[in-house]
Amino acid sequence: MAQIFHRSTNTISRVSLFGVVFVIAGLLWLIAQVHRSPWSTDAHVAKEQPIQFSHERHVGGNGIDCRYCHTSVEASRFAGIPPTKTCMNCHSEIFASSPFLRPVHDSFEDDRAIEWTRVHDLPDFVHFDHSIHVSKGVGCTTCHGPVDRMPLIAQQHSLQMEWCLDCHRRPEAFVRPRSAVFSVSYQPPANQLEIGRRLVDQYQIQKLTNCSTCHQ
Amino acid sequence: MRAPATPPVIAPGHTFGTVTDKITSIVLTNKTPLGWWAGFLFVSMFAGLLAVSLTYLVLTGVGIWGNNQPIGWAFDITNFVWWIGIGHAGTLISAILLLFKQTWRTSINRFAEAMTLFAVVCAGIFPLFHTGRPWLAYWMVPYPNTMNVWPQFKSPLIWDVFAVSTYGLVSLLFWFVGLIPDLATLRDRATGRASRMIYGMLAMGWRGSARHWHRYETAYLLLAGLATPLVVSVHSVVSLDFAVSVIPGWHTTLFPPYFVAGAIYSGFAMVLTLVIPIRKFYGMEDFITMRHLQNMAKVLLVTGLMVGYGYTVEAFMAWYSANRYEGFMMWNRMTGPYWWTYVLLILCNVVTPQTLWFKRVRGSVPALFVISLVVNVGMWLERFVIVVTSLHRDFLPSSWGRFSPTIWDWSTYVGTIGLFLTLLFLFLRFLPMISIFEMRTLLPAAKVTEEA
C-alpha cells in the first residue's frame, strides 16, 4: 500500500505546530496594539471642522489666555466651546471680510450655532469634570498637549481608562502649581516628583480610583 | 477477579479482528443507515431552533425570558447546572473508574467522554447568553487591557469561567488522546483517499510501537489523575454559585458534595438513556453487556441515595437551624406555589431509584431506560427547585414574586438538547463509539498468563 502522506508532510507538521503558537501570540499582540493605536483612539488625528480654527494663531500667536474662550473651565464640568458672540468680539472688525470667517458671520446673522466637531469625546458613562482638575493643579497642556502649536486641534492622548488611571494613581508625576495651570509654555521641572509630592499634600489630592469617581 | 458468576464485560467468542470489524464498520461504511439520517435530521431541527432562539435573544434582550425580579436566575442557570452535571458522568467513567482499574468502563468510556464534551458545549451556552450583554463576556477573562480592569476573583461566577473552560479543555484533551490509537486503526482500514488523509492527520502518525504505548499509558493515567479532582471541583464550583450567597435555601455548606453526587447521578442516568437505544440500534449487545447496564444501575442507586441524603439534611437543617427564613424556605418548597415541583422531585430522584435494589429491575433493559429518563427529569427539577423556589420568596415579603417560563425559555432548553443530540449523531457516524484498542486488551487473547 502506498504511503498516505508524502515526506514533505513532516516539514508541514513541524512548521504548523510551532507556527500556531506564534500566530496566536502574534494575533493577540496585534489586537492589543491596534486597540491602543490612533486607529482606534483617534489620538493625533486632526478632524475636519466647519471653520479652520487655529489654536496656534490665537494662543501661540496672539497670546490669548485659555479662559478667554473656554470660560467655564474653572467653574464647571465642561470647559465649554465659545459661542459665536466670542468670535465676533474681535472678528466683527478684524478680517471681517475674509471668506474663512464666512460661517462665523452667517452663524451670527442667522442666529444658528456653529456645528463644531468634538475632538475629545468621552463616552457618556464617564463623568469628567474640568473644574476639579484645574483647581487641583492639572495644567491644560498635560492632557491636551501643546495646544498653542496646533493649527488644527487633535487629541494628544488615548483618553483610555488606563491613561486616566495612570495619573490618578501617581498624580505627583503630573501635578503643577495652580499658578501655572493655564501656562502653555510650562515644562515639568527636573525635580517634578519632589515638587509633585508637596503639591499633592498642599492641594489635598486624593488618589481616587474607585468606580464612583467617574462612572457615577 | 470476581467469581465467574458475574456476566462478562465482553461477550465470548470475539477475537481482535471481530472487535475491530464490528466497531469500525459503523464508521467506515458508505451506507449510512436510514435510521441515522432520520434521527440526525430530526435532532438538527432542534439545533436550528437553538440558533433561532439565541439570535432572537441577542437581538431583543434577555427580557424575552420569564426571568424577573426577584427571580433573576431561572431556566438559564437550571439548564446550565443540569448540563454540566450530565457531563460529569463521562469523566467519572473515563477517569475515576480508570484509576480504580474497572474493566467494565472500557466499552462505555469513549461514548461517555463524548457525552461530557457535548454536554459542556450545551452548558457553556447558558453562562454566555444569560448575560444581558454576551458580547462583553470576554471581560470575564483576565487579560491586560486598556481599562486596567481585571475580573473579580472573589466571585464564583468567575470561578465558573475557569472551572468550565478548564473542564472543557481537559475533557477534550482526554478524549482526543484516547482516540489517537483508534484513529490510527481507522486510517489503516479506510479505503477512500479523503478519509485516509483525515483520519491519518488526526492520528498524528501513531505507529503503536512499544515506546509509544509506554508513554501513552503514562500520559493517559496522568490525565485521568488530573481529571478526577476536576470532576469534583468543577461541580463544587458550580454549587458555590449558590452556596456562597446569603439566600435561604442556597446558603448551605452541604452543596458542594451534594451537587457532585447529583451530577454523577444525572450523568449516569443520561449515559443509560443514550446507551440503551444505541446498543440496540447498532447491535452492540456483545460489547455493552448487561453487566455494564447493571453496574451503571448500581451507581445510580448509590448516588441516588446520596442525593436523597442531601434532601433529608436540607430539610432537617431547615428545622434544626431555628432560623425562620430557613424554615419558611423549606415549608414554601413543600407547600408553596411550586409544591408540585418538589413532590415530583422526591418521586423522581428518591422514590424511583429504590426499585434498583431489585435484581429483576436492574436486569430489565426497558425498566432501566424508563428509570434513567425519570432521573433526568428529576435532576432537572432539583436544580429548578433550588434556583427558583429559593429566589421567589426570600427575606422581604414585598419582594416575593413568581416565575413562569416563556416560549423562549423552553425553545432554548429544547434547542440545547437538539444541539447535544446533533453532535452525538455526528460522533456516532464519524468516530468509533467504543474504544477499539482498549476493547482488544480485554479479550482473552490479550492476556499473557503463566498457563498459556
Side-chain angles (χ1 to χ4, degrees), chain A residues 4-5 35 160-162 169, chain B residues 146-149 187 197:
Chain A
I4 305 173
F5 295 103
H35 201 47
Q160 278 165 340
M161 192 163 138
E162 63 179 0
R169 282 179 181 141
Chain B
T146 61
M147 304 176 289
N148 275 10
V149 170
R187 169 198 64 196
M197 292 282 277

Side-chain angles (χ1 to χ4, degrees), chain A:
Chain A
M1 194 174 70
Q3 289 291 324
I4 305 173
F5 295 103
H6 187 256
R7 196 167 270 283
S8 62
T9 324
N10 284 334
T11 318
I12 296 172
S13 64
R14 277 197 201 101
V15 168
S16 65
L17 205 61
F18 289 103
V20 158
V21 177
F22 289 114
V23 166
I24 291 173
L27 269 179
L28 290 175
W29 177 83
L30 194 72
I31 291 169
Q33 291 306 309
V34 167
H35 201 47
R36 287 184 167 93
S37 73
W39 194 77
S40 150
T41 63
D42 271 0
H44 306 290
V45 176
K47 290 183 183 167
E48 191 77 24
Q49 299 287 356
I51 301 159
Q52 294 201 344
F53 178 83
S54 166
H55 277 87
E56 188 181 37
R57 172 161 298 179
H58 291 84
V59 185
N62 303 337
I64 300 173
D65 187 274
C66 306
R67 289 162 288 184
Y68 179 76
C69 297
H70 301 291
T71 49
S72 56
V73 69
E74 288 173 295
S76 157
R77 276 178 53 193
F78 297 102
I81 286 180
T84 308
K85 189 80 177 41
T86 312
C87 306
M88 290 303 282
N89 287 346
C90 300
H91 287 296
S92 54
E93 300 292 335
I94 302 168
F95 302 125
S97 56
S98 163
F100 279 112
L101 291 168
R102 197 66 249 157
V104 179
H105 290 276
D106 284 351
S107 155
F108 192 68
E109 279 154 25
D110 302 351
D111 204 21
R112 274 190 300 120
I114 300 171
E115 290 179 19
W116 298 102
T117 302
R118 193 162 186 177
V119 173
H120 298 81
D121 195 5
L122 286 178
D124 290 348
F125 52 76
V126 184
H127 290 249
F128 179 80
D129 189 323
H130 269 95
S131 63
I132 189 70
H133 289 87
V134 167
S135 71
K136 297 280 182 181
V138 181
C140 303
T141 54
T142 305
C143 301
H144 292 294
V147 176
D148 58 317
R149 281 178 273 135
M150 289 184 206
L152 272 179
I153 199 85
Q155 192 182 303
Q156 289 301 296
H157 297 281
S158 70
L159 304 193
Q160 278 165 340
M161 192 163 138
E162 63 179 0
W163 174 73
C164 301
L165 284 173
D166 183 36
C167 184
H168 274 235
R169 282 179 181 141
R170 44 182 201 110
E172 64 275 8
F174 302 94
V175 74
R176 62 172 87 163
R178 272 183 195 133
S179 55
V181 163
F182 295 101
S183 158
V184 284
S185 57
Y186 180 87
Q187 291 298 324
N191 58 345
Q192 166 67 35
L193 283 181
E194 192 188 315
I195 291 171
R197 276 193 209 101
R198 209 168 56 235
L199 291 175
V200 165
D201 273 356
Q202 193 186 332
Y203 298 160
Q204 298 180 351
I205 294 173
Q206 303 169 49
K207 299 187 177 181
L208 291 174
T209 53
N210 54 350
C211 308
S212 61
T213 308
C214 307
H215 303 289
Q216 293 155 6

Side-chain angles (χ1 to χ4, degrees), chain B residues 63-68 71 74-76 78-79 338 340-341 380 384 388 402-413:
Chain B
I64 63 168
W65 288 347
N67 301 24
N68 54 42
I71 304 141
F75 265 39
D76 42 3
T78 303
N79 297 337
Y338 297 104
W340 55 276
T341 55
W380 189 89
F384 180 83
V388 172
R402 293 286 287 276
F403 168 78
S404 53
T406 64
I407 182 97
W408 297 105
D409 280 305
W410 284 112
S411 71
T412 312
Y413 175 45

Side-chain angles (χ1 to χ4, degrees), chain B residues 45-69:
Chain B
M45 260 171 17
F46 290 98
L49 181 67
L50 177 69
V52 172
S53 309
L54 292 182
T55 309
Y56 185 63
L57 176 78
V58 173
L59 292 177
T60 315
V62 281
I64 63 168
W65 288 347
N67 301 24
N68 54 42
Q69 293 290 350

